[in-house]
């Protein structure tokens, strides 16, 4: 008899961090916590409880890769890589915004600097991401369909958009359905956040000096 997979899912891409442990179809552990600036001071206690729920068994880890907080995703990646190294567990990333409540839906989010991102999710798979201005974003939403945002508030205050924070339990469920060969391929890839735009570079205007200032990717 083949034992059911145990999945540890961690998502820190929003201000609401979430962790879940799934074995087969049973949720063994689930926790959520809020951090306005950084999850690094709050994630380790519930993460330790999640590891206690798994015990001595082996597990597969899935990390929500956004789009969202670059810092939060990086913290999740670092924590997961530490666990993977010490326990020999496979770990891979999966877009946070695929963890919505429907099988198929559209997503709108803030891409910063007055721009917005649009994409679609079909059967837990993320489609191409498009960066558009406010007018194009509003027109797309008003054209119809099921629209969700994983931001803290609806972009452009559009009433058609439902807020939907990342769901670690759903990420774990997605991971539990992937074939072994797919998980092996994903685990061999580098863990990276979902980037919306390339790095934004500005130059300081102080007289006599030109010091490059590189902003982190969104």
């Amino acid at each position: 008899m083949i034992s059911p997979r145990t999945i540890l899912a961690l998502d820190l891409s929003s201000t609401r961090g979430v962790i879940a442990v799934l074995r087969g179809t049973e949720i063994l552990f689930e926790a959520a916590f809020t951090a306005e600036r950084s999850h690094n001071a709050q994630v380790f206690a519930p993460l330790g409880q999640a590891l206690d729920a798994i015990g001595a068994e082996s597990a597969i880890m899935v990390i929500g890769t956004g789009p969202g907080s670059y810092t939060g995703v990086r913290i999740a990646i670092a924590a997961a890589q530490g666990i993977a190294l010490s326990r020999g567990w496979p770990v891979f990333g999966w877009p946070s915004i695929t963890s919505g409540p429907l099988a198929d839906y559209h997503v709108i989010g803030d891409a910063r600097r007055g721009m917005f991102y649009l994409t679609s999710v079909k059967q837990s798979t993320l489609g191409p991401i498009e960066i558009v201005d406010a007018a194009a974003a509003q027109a797309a939403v008003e054209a119809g369909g099921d629209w969700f945002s994983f931001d803290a508030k609806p972009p452009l205050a559009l009433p058609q958009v439902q807020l939907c924070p990342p769901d670690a339990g759903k990420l774990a469920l997605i991971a539990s359905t992937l074939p072994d060969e797919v998980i092996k391929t994903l685990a061999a890839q580098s863990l990276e956040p979902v980037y919306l735009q390339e790095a934004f570079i500005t130059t300081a205007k102080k007289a006599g000096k030109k010091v490059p200032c590189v902003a982190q990717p969104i």
Side-chain angles (χ1 to χ4, degrees):
M1 180 177 178
I2 300 176
S3 299
R5 285 176 176 168
T6 299
I7 309 291
L8 169 58
L10 172 62
D11 194 294
L12 306 181
S13 65
S14 72
T15 56
R16 180 177 180 267
V18 286
I19 301 175
V21 176
L22 177 74
R23 180 177 296 145
T25 58
E26 179 186 3
I27 293 286
L28 301 183
F29 176 83
E30 195 166 20
F33 48 92
T34 301
E36 291 299 327
R37 293 190 177 184
S38 177
H39 292 297
N40 59 352
Q42 300 186 50
V43 66
F44 293 105
L47 186 55
Q49 294 172 336
L51 294 175
D52 289 342
I54 296 171
E57 295 188 16
S58 179
I60 297 168
M61 289 185 294
V62 57
I63 304 303
T65 54
S69 166
Y70 180 86
T71 300
V73 174
R74 279 297 184 188
I75 291 171
I77 288 173
Q81 288 176 329
I83 295 171
L85 184 63
S86 64
R87 301 200 176 200
W89 293 353
V91 56
F92 66 94
W94 198 265
S96 307
I97 59 175
T98 63
S99 63
L102 303 178
D104 302 333
Y105 54 93
H106 305 294
V107 179
I108 178 174
D110 188 356
R112 310 297 188 225
R113 301 194 289 277
M115 304 299 285
F116 301 85
Y117 75 85
L118 306 177
T119 188
S120 296
V121 174
K122 295 184 181 298
Q123 301 298 318
S124 303
T125 300
L126 184 64
I129 295 177
E130 182 182 9
I131 307 297
V132 300
D133 61 19
Q138 183 169 345
V141 172
E142 291 178 346
D146 295 304
W147 284 89
F148 292 92
S149 177
F150 291 74
D151 294 348
K153 58 183 179 180
L156 301 171
L158 294 170
Q160 303 94 327
V161 178
Q162 302 178 60
L163 289 182
C164 180
D167 184 341
K170 179 66 177 294
L171 285 177
L173 184 61
I174 292 170
S176 72
T177 64
L178 297 176
D180 290 339
E181 57 271 21
V182 172
I183 290 179
K184 183 177 180 180
T185 298
L186 291 172
Q189 300 173 3
S190 297
L191 278 170
E192 294 288 345
V194 175
Y195 296 116
L196 295 178
Q197 301 185 39
E198 296 297 326
F200 179 64
I201 301 175
T202 60
T203 302
K205 296 183 179 180
K206 186 175 180 180
K209 292 185 178 181
K210 291 187 177 181
V211 182
C213 177
V214 182
Q216 294 283 8
I218 296 174

